[in-house]
Structure formats: structure tokens, C-alpha cells
Amino acid sequence: MKSATGHRATVTAGVQPFSLPPRCRSSWALEVLESLDMEAMLGTVQAWRSSPPKFARAHGVGVRPSPSDTHVLLLEGFLLYSYRPLVPLYSRRYFLTVPYEECKWRRSTRSYAVPDPPGLFDGHVWPMYLKYKQEMEANGVEVVYLDGTRSREELFRQVLEDIQNSLLNRS
């Protein structure tokens, strides 16, 4: 991919899941910070920051680094802004907002190996989303809010344009 500055950009996405094994959490605890190995995630982000090409090679991604490369690491998940040691490492932060009914409908269309028990969304998933969103706002974490009812393509274009503008303003 070419960046807005004309430089080649290496994008590393899909950092390995950091979910703790089921024996370390309850099946109802997937939307809480304690269900993730945040120290491992922090170590992984720090390893990537120290040498993106070396990190990519160690994870099976072939790269031919160039001095003009721009490296971008994308992390996703609404819990990412609740682990304070990670927050200052993000140069851009986005938060996808989805209305309750839309979120509930999307969750109901997902297919899991073990289906959600009745009442999980209303009793746990949605309250945890609201809790961590409120904590993020109370802690003053600056984010760009994205309208989750827009298409994936529109959201991708919005974020890509924002990142490209950020890179242009940096150089």
C-alpha cells in the first residue's frame, strides 16, 4: 500500500487474540478486561514498536524494509482503552458506536461454537460495553467516534483518510 506521502506503508493487523484460556475466566466474562492477557498484549505492542520488520518476520510475514516505510499497527476491541499502560502507545484512537438495537441484532446473527445463553446480551454484553465506554470517557481518552451503522467500506475509507492525513501532517 502507498501512503499519502507516496511512501510504501507496511500494515500489520490482526494481532493474535489475547483471550485467557476458558479455565481462567467464566463463559460470561468475555467482555471484561480480566478475560484478556493485557500484559502479553502490552509486550507484543512494545515488541512491534521496537522493530516492526523484525516483528513481522517473527510472525511469518515476509517484508523487504525500506527506509521510507511507514509502519501501522491496527488493534481492535472496545477494551483496549481500559488498560492504562497501552493508552499512551496509540497515536490514533477510534471508537465504534452502535445503537443498542443494532448491536443486539448483530450479536444475535453471530455464530459461536458455544451459543450465547439467553439473556447474555442484556445482562452482560451491553452493560460491559457501556461500562468501558464510560470509563474511557471519564479517563479522558481521546478518540474519534465512528458511526457503526455506516458500511464497512465507508468506515475503512474514513479511518484510512484520517491515518493518511495524520502521516502527511507528521512529515
Side-chain angles (χ1 to χ4, degrees):
M1 171 172 79
K2 289 267 188 179
S3 71
T5 60
H7 299 286
R8 195 175 52 156
T10 302
V11 179
T12 305
V15 174
Q16 71 179 1
F18 292 93
S19 296
L20 292 170
R23 68 181 181 284
C24 299
R25 57 176 165 75
S26 75
S27 61
W28 284 65
L30 299 176
E31 285 80 16
V32 296
L33 194 59
E34 295 76 21
S35 71
L36 301 171
D37 188 344
M38 297 306 288
E39 289 181 22
M41 183 181 287
L42 176 62
T44 299
V45 170
Q46 290 171 328
W48 179 86
R49 287 176 53 115
S50 69
S51 178
K54 182 178 176 183
F55 182 88
R57 283 191 304 277
H59 288 81
V61 178
V63 293
R64 292 191 181 105
S66 165
S68 63
D69 280 355
T70 300
H71 302 280
V72 177
L73 176 65
L74 303 173
L75 303 172
E76 67 86 25
F78 71 87
L79 297 173
L80 291 172
Y81 306 131
S82 298
Y83 188 65
R84 290 188 186 209
L86 274 174
V87 174
L89 302 181
Y90 309 134
S91 55
R92 307 295 294 165
R93 299 172 198 89
Y94 303 92
F95 191 91
L96 193 67
T97 59
V98 181
Y100 167 85
E101 289 298 331
E102 176 74 10
C103 190
K104 186 172 184 172
W105 175 79
R106 288 181 187 180
R107 180 77 180 216
S108 73
T109 64
R110 291 184 181 175
S111 179
Y112 296 105
V114 177
D116 284 350
L120 180 67
F121 183 84
D122 288 322
H124 181 73
V125 174
W126 186 252
M128 289 299 103
Y129 168 82
L130 294 176
K131 174 188 176 203
Y132 286 110
K133 181 177 182 279
Q134 289 167 352
E135 282 182 14
M136 174 190 75
E137 292 168 343
N139 290 331
V141 177
E142 293 181 32
V143 298
V144 174
Y145 288 94
L146 301 173
D147 179 356
T149 62
R150 293 175 54 204
S151 73
R152 287 182 182 180
E153 293 77 21
E154 289 175 299
L155 292 168
F156 174 79
R157 279 193 296 275
Q158 180 183 350
V159 170
L160 178 61
E161 184 178 299
D162 186 56
I163 291 171
Q164 288 174 330
N165 287 336
S166 174
L167 292 171
L168 280 171
N169 292 329
R170 194 177 72 183
S171 55

